[in-house]
Amino acid sequence: MTSPSPAHRSGYVAIVGRPNVGKSTLLNHILGQKVSIISRRPQTTRNRVTGLYNRDDVQVVFLDTPGIHDARGLLNRRMVDEAVGTLDEVDLVLFMIDPQRESDPARDAGLIARIQKAGTPVLLVPNKIDKIPKEELLPLIGAWAAAGDFQAIVPISAAKGSGVGDLLRETVERLPEGPAWFPKDQITDATERFVVSELIREQAFHLLDKELPYALAVEIEEFQEGEDIVRILARLWVERDSQKGIVIGKGGAMVKRIGTSARLQIERLVQTRVFLKLTVGVDPGWTRRQHAVERLGQFRSGDK
Ligand code: GDP
Ligand code: MG
């Protein structure tokens, strides 16, 4: 490990806001190519790491704070209290609103007060400004500015990307100097995919009682992180039709069992609900290539 240069900044940033304001869209835009979507829990158990923004001089750990916005009923209100409680553990809060839909900040006065009570700096982020004429936007922002104590107000369009550069600058500026909390190159989407494919393979081997030791490979065809569910499509590759029958089982019973136990394992890993769909394909070449790639992959990670 290299020692952190003095100018390196790092910190935890919580993105809060009602469902559909555009939190995921913003994250996808910020993370872009540099995305390291990870779902392991960091030090605090209540927060969920949603993604890392890495640059040579900075690492921003973006957190999801589930349940902060929908307080109906006592149980939900408890959850909100918990979520708001975590806000004093982060360095900065991005409070995202859809100014057109949430045109009256007084309706959110309770939420604003609770966020503010954490004492953490808050940036107000009005999103979807591409939908609002400027002459309507300015008074709306004015009303929101008066409703809380915000360090800055940074209007953006997460979908179009406008203002996102400013938001990143305003964010990084407010983070303390510090080292990267996560490896900058090791925690990648690919790694998580690999771990997931291994979990599936493990369950397949376990349930098939080692009937197909080297004839089975797993390909993750889709890995999508949603608001509260991870959607995974995976294909189990075998070399021959007869093996395909074994993996599928009578009336699909075997592949179903593999899917269920793999899903439970994956849910434990990513700490959220998982939708897992498994299909089975036959391709001797693919299976052999896959094993070769995996062996190569092991050498590579040893080199780095
Ligand atoms: P989340 O629930 O807060 O994570 O919201 P999402 O990121 O899933 O976005 C909800 C919806 O708003 C999606 O249909 C997005 O395409 C849309 N959306 C997000 N950002 C913008 C934006 O800047 N402009 C417009 N017009 N739509 C947006
Ligand atoms: Mg979302």
Side-chain angles (χ1 to χ4, degrees), residues 183-245:
K184 281 197 173 175
D185 56 348
Q186 286 175 33
I187 301 173
T188 66
D189 192 23
T191 300
E192 191 167 59
R193 278 173 175 242
F194 178 69
V195 173
V196 164
S197 72
E198 283 298 293
L199 287 175
I200 295 170
R201 203 149 66 114
E202 198 179 277
Q203 294 308 309
F205 279 170
H206 178 64
L207 289 166
L208 292 165
D209 204 19
K210 301 192 174 71
E211 237 173 311
L212 303 166
Y214 282 100
L216 188 84
V218 177
E219 180 188 16
I220 305 296
E221 295 182 312
E222 198 183 314
F223 191 107
Q224 250 181 18
E225 273 218 339
E227 180 79 21
D228 55 8
I229 193 161
V230 177
R231 199 182 132 81
I232 302 167
L233 304 186
R235 192 179 294 266
L236 301 172
W237 287 105
V238 291
E239 294 176 335
R240 288 191 297 275
D241 279 335
S242 58
Q243 297 166 335
K244 181 176 174 178

Side-chain angles (χ1 to χ4, degrees), residues 13-16 22-23 25-31 53 55 58 60 62 92-97 121-129 151-159 161-175:
V13 175
I15 304 182
V16 303
K23 300 182 294 296
T25 307
L26 172 65
L27 263 175
N28 288 341
H29 193 93
I30 289 179
L31 301 174
Y53 172 72
R55 273 188 347 218
V58 71
V60 186
F62 287 102
L92 185 69
V93 175
L94 304 185
F95 179 29
M96 184 181 276
I97 57 164
V122 182
L123 300 187
L124 182 70
V125 184
N127 186 29
K128 309 194 187 184
I129 58 168
Q151 295 257 313
I153 299 175
V154 193
I156 64 165
S157 167
S162 46
V164 175
D166 290 335
L167 180 59
L168 271 174
R169 201 168 28 75
E170 298 276 358
T171 297
V172 170
E173 218 164 71
R174 288 174 172 81
L175 298 182

Side-chain angles (χ1 to χ4, degrees), residues 3-301:
S3 56
S5 78
H8 192 278
R9 289 174 187 273
S10 60
Y12 284 72
V13 175
I15 304 182
V16 303
R18 292 185 183 284
N20 277 315
V21 290
K23 300 182 294 296
S24 299
T25 307
L26 172 65
L27 263 175
N28 288 341
H29 193 93
I30 289 179
L31 301 174
Q33 294 294 15
K34 294 176 177 132
V35 71
S36 305
I37 296 286
I38 65 168
S39 312
R40 275 193 306 125
R41 294 187 174 203
Q43 291 88 335
T44 72
T45 51
R46 289 170 297 179
N47 280 325
R48 197 159 76 82
V49 171
T50 304
L52 303 179
Y53 172 72
N54 287 316
R55 273 188 347 218
D56 284 347
D57 58 334
V58 71
Q59 178 172 74
V60 186
V61 184
F62 287 102
L63 300 176
D64 228 357
T65 49
I68 202 161
H69 11 62
D70 254 347
R72 284 184 213 102
L74 185 63
L75 184 65
N76 277 341
R77 237 172 293 142
R78 277 259 176 81
M79 279 173 56
V80 173
D81 286 343
E82 287 236 341
V84 171
T86 66
L87 295 184
D88 61 9
E89 296 166 13
V90 300
D91 299 290
L92 185 69
V93 175
L94 304 185
F95 179 29
M96 184 181 276
I97 57 164
D98 177 346
Q100 200 167 42
R101 227 176 32 171
E102 299 160 79
S103 54
D104 179 12
R107 285 217 311 261
D108 279 323
L111 179 58
I112 297 171
R114 287 155 102 171
I115 291 173
Q116 222 107 65
K117 217 174 123 195
T120 303
V122 182
L123 300 187
L124 182 70
V125 184
N127 186 29
K128 309 194 187 184
I129 58 168
D130 55 293
K131 285 200 315 190
I132 314 175
K134 271 218 177 68
E135 61 273 18
E136 283 176 39
L137 181 63
L138 292 177
L140 286 173
I141 288 180
W144 272 91
D149 180 14
F150 304 111
Q151 295 257 313
I153 299 175
V154 193
I156 64 165
S157 167
K160 306 248 185 262
S162 46
V164 175
D166 290 335
L167 180 59
L168 271 174
R169 201 168 28 75
E170 298 276 358
T171 297
V172 170
E173 218 164 71
R174 288 174 172 81
L175 298 182
E177 288 188 10
W181 298 108
F182 296 90
K184 281 197 173 175
D185 56 348
Q186 286 175 33
I187 301 173
T188 66
D189 192 23
T191 300
E192 191 167 59
R193 278 173 175 242
F194 178 69
V195 173
V196 164
S197 72
E198 283 298 293
L199 287 175
I200 295 170
R201 203 149 66 114
E202 198 179 277
Q203 294 308 309
F205 279 170
H206 178 64
L207 289 166
L208 292 165
D209 204 19
K210 301 192 174 71
E211 237 173 311
L212 303 166
Y214 282 100
L216 188 84
V218 177
E219 180 188 16
I220 305 296
E221 295 182 312
E222 198 183 314
F223 191 107
Q224 250 181 18
E225 273 218 339
E227 180 79 21
D228 55 8
I229 193 161
V230 177
R231 199 182 132 81
I232 302 167
L233 304 186
R235 192 179 294 266
L236 301 172
W237 287 105
V238 291
E239 294 176 335
R240 288 191 297 275
D241 279 335
S242 58
Q243 297 166 335
K244 181 176 174 178
I246 295 172
V247 174
I248 291 176
K250 259 207 188 105
M254 180 51 84
V255 72
K256 205 169 181 180
R257 279 179 67 196
I258 295 170
T260 302
S261 47
R263 179 175 55 75
L264 294 174
Q265 299 284 324
I266 298 165
E267 281 180 341
R268 207 173 297 161
L269 171 81
V270 300
Q271 298 281 347
T272 185
R273 266 186 328 131
V274 168
F275 171 83
L276 175 63
K277 184 163 190 280
L278 297 181
T279 53
V280 184
V282 179
D283 180 350
W286 201 94
T287 308
R288 274 197 298 274
R289 272 199 307 281
Q290 178 67 5
H291 287 303
V293 167
E294 275 166 24
R295 279 196 301 278
L296 260 174
Q298 277 164 20
F299 285 119
R300 288 247 177 81
S301 57

